mmCIF file of all heavy atoms in Angstrom:
data_model
loop_
_atom_site.group_PDB
_atom_site.id
_atom_site.type_symbol
_atom_site.label_atom_id
_atom_site.label_comp_id
_atom_site.label_asym_id
_atom_site.label_seq_id
_atom_site.Cartn_x
_atom_site.Cartn_y
_atom_site.Cartn_z
ATOM 1 N N PRO W 11 18.151 16.751 5.753
ATOM 2 C CA PRO W 11 17.592 15.382 5.725
ATOM 3 C C PRO W 11 17.585 14.688 7.124
ATOM 4 O O PRO W 11 16.773 13.840 7.419
ATOM 5 C CB PRO W 11 18.534 14.634 4.756
ATOM 6 C CG PRO W 11 19.732 15.449 4.735
ATOM 7 C CD PRO W 11 19.328 16.852 4.914
ATOM 8 N N HIS W 32 11.312 3.827 9.420
ATOM 9 C CA HIS W 32 12.604 4.322 9.216
ATOM 10 C C HIS W 32 13.029 4.045 7.766
ATOM 11 O O HIS W 32 12.753 2.961 7.215
ATOM 12 C CB HIS W 32 13.619 3.614 10.149
ATOM 13 C CG HIS W 32 13.313 3.783 11.615
ATOM 14 N ND1 HIS W 32 13.980 3.072 12.609
ATOM 15 C CD2 HIS W 32 12.388 4.545 12.290
ATOM 16 C CE1 HIS W 32 13.446 3.370 13.812
ATOM 17 N NE2 HIS W 32 12.536 4.290 13.596
ATOM 18 N N ARG W 33 13.618 5.053 7.093
ATOM 19 C CA ARG W 33 13.982 4.891 5.715
ATOM 20 C C ARG W 33 15.486 5.069 5.514
ATOM 21 O O ARG W 33 16.018 6.141 5.417
ATOM 22 C CB ARG W 33 13.202 5.968 4.933
ATOM 23 C CG ARG W 33 11.732 5.720 4.951
ATOM 24 C CD ARG W 33 10.901 6.751 4.225
ATOM 25 N NE ARG W 33 9.481 6.338 4.211
ATOM 26 C CZ ARG W 33 8.517 7.096 3.789
ATOM 27 N NH1 ARG W 33 8.776 8.299 3.276
ATOM 28 N NH2 ARG W 33 7.222 6.594 3.791
ATOM 29 N N PRO W 34 16.181 3.931 5.438
ATOM 30 C CA PRO W 34 17.651 3.993 5.358
ATOM 31 C C PRO W 34 18.176 4.558 4.081
ATOM 32 O O PRO W 34 19.358 4.978 4.081
ATOM 33 C CB PRO W 34 18.046 2.483 5.530
ATOM 34 C CG PRO W 34 16.810 1.726 5.020
ATOM 35 C CD PRO W 34 15.675 2.516 5.408
ATOM 36 N N LYS W 35 17.406 4.550 3.010
ATOM 37 C CA LYS W 35 17.912 5.062 1.717
ATOM 38 C C LYS W 35 17.447 6.514 1.451
ATOM 39 O O LYS W 35 17.664 7.007 0.329
ATOM 40 C CB LYS W 35 17.422 4.152 0.603
ATOM 41 C CG LYS W 35 17.978 2.748 0.625
ATOM 42 C CD LYS W 35 19.463 2.654 0.423
ATOM 43 C CE LYS W 35 19.916 1.193 0.359
ATOM 44 N NZ LYS W 35 21.346 1.089 0.170
ATOM 45 N N GLY W 36 16.848 7.085 2.415
ATOM 46 C CA GLY W 36 16.338 8.464 2.221
ATOM 47 C C GLY W 36 14.845 8.551 2.366
ATOM 48 O O GLY W 36 14.150 7.555 2.106
ATOM 49 N N PHE W 37 14.339 9.727 2.698
ATOM 50 C CA PHE W 37 12.925 9.872 3.000
ATOM 51 C C PHE W 37 12.068 9.602 1.737
ATOM 52 O O PHE W 37 10.976 9.007 1.857
ATOM 53 C CB PHE W 37 12.686 11.291 3.465
ATOM 54 C CG PHE W 37 11.257 11.640 3.765
ATOM 55 C CD1 PHE W 37 10.672 11.132 4.952
ATOM 56 C CD2 PHE W 37 10.459 12.366 2.922
ATOM 57 C CE1 PHE W 37 9.320 11.400 5.253
ATOM 58 C CE2 PHE W 37 9.180 12.634 3.182
ATOM 59 C CZ PHE W 37 8.567 12.153 4.363
ATOM 60 N N LEU W 38 12.532 9.980 0.550
ATOM 61 C CA LEU W 38 11.744 9.813 -0.622
ATOM 62 C C LEU W 38 11.990 8.489 -1.384
ATOM 63 O O LEU W 38 11.327 8.255 -2.415
ATOM 64 C CB LEU W 38 11.985 11.009 -1.609
ATOM 65 C CG LEU W 38 11.576 12.389 -1.025
ATOM 66 C CD1 LEU W 38 11.967 13.442 -2.032
ATOM 67 C CD2 LEU W 38 10.137 12.461 -0.700
ATOM 68 N N ALA W 39 12.902 7.672 -0.905
ATOM 69 C CA ALA W 39 13.218 6.452 -1.628
ATOM 70 C C ALA W 39 12.027 5.572 -1.938
ATOM 71 O O ALA W 39 11.947 5.003 -3.079
ATOM 72 C CB ALA W 39 14.266 5.669 -0.849
ATOM 73 N N PRO W 40 11.053 5.279 -1.039
ATOM 74 C CA PRO W 40 9.993 4.431 -1.404
ATOM 75 C C PRO W 40 9.136 4.921 -2.590
ATOM 76 O O PRO W 40 8.593 4.176 -3.314
ATOM 77 C CB PRO W 40 9.102 4.395 -0.082
ATOM 78 C CG PRO W 40 10.062 4.725 0.996
ATOM 79 C CD PRO W 40 11.023 5.716 0.343
ATOM 80 N N LEU W 239 14.466 -2.819 2.040
ATOM 81 C CA LEU W 239 15.628 -2.120 1.456
ATOM 82 C C LEU W 239 15.388 -0.634 1.451
ATOM 83 O O LEU W 239 16.347 0.178 1.482
ATOM 84 C CB LEU W 239 15.867 -2.596 0.004
ATOM 85 C CG LEU W 239 16.287 -4.039 -0.127
ATOM 86 C CD1 LEU W 239 16.182 -4.493 -1.596
ATOM 87 C CD2 LEU W 239 17.753 -4.213 0.403
ATOM 88 N N VAL W 240 14.161 -0.184 1.491
ATOM 89 C CA VAL W 240 13.863 1.258 1.412
ATOM 90 C C VAL W 240 13.091 1.745 2.682
ATOM 91 O O VAL W 240 13.057 2.925 2.897
ATOM 92 C CB VAL W 240 13.039 1.654 0.116
ATOM 93 C CG1 VAL W 240 13.877 1.446 -1.058
ATOM 94 C CG2 VAL W 240 11.742 0.876 0.122
#
Side-chain angles (χ1 to χ4, degrees):
H32 302 170
R33 294 178 174 173
K35 298 293 185 180
F37 180 75
L38 298 178
L239 294 168
V240 294

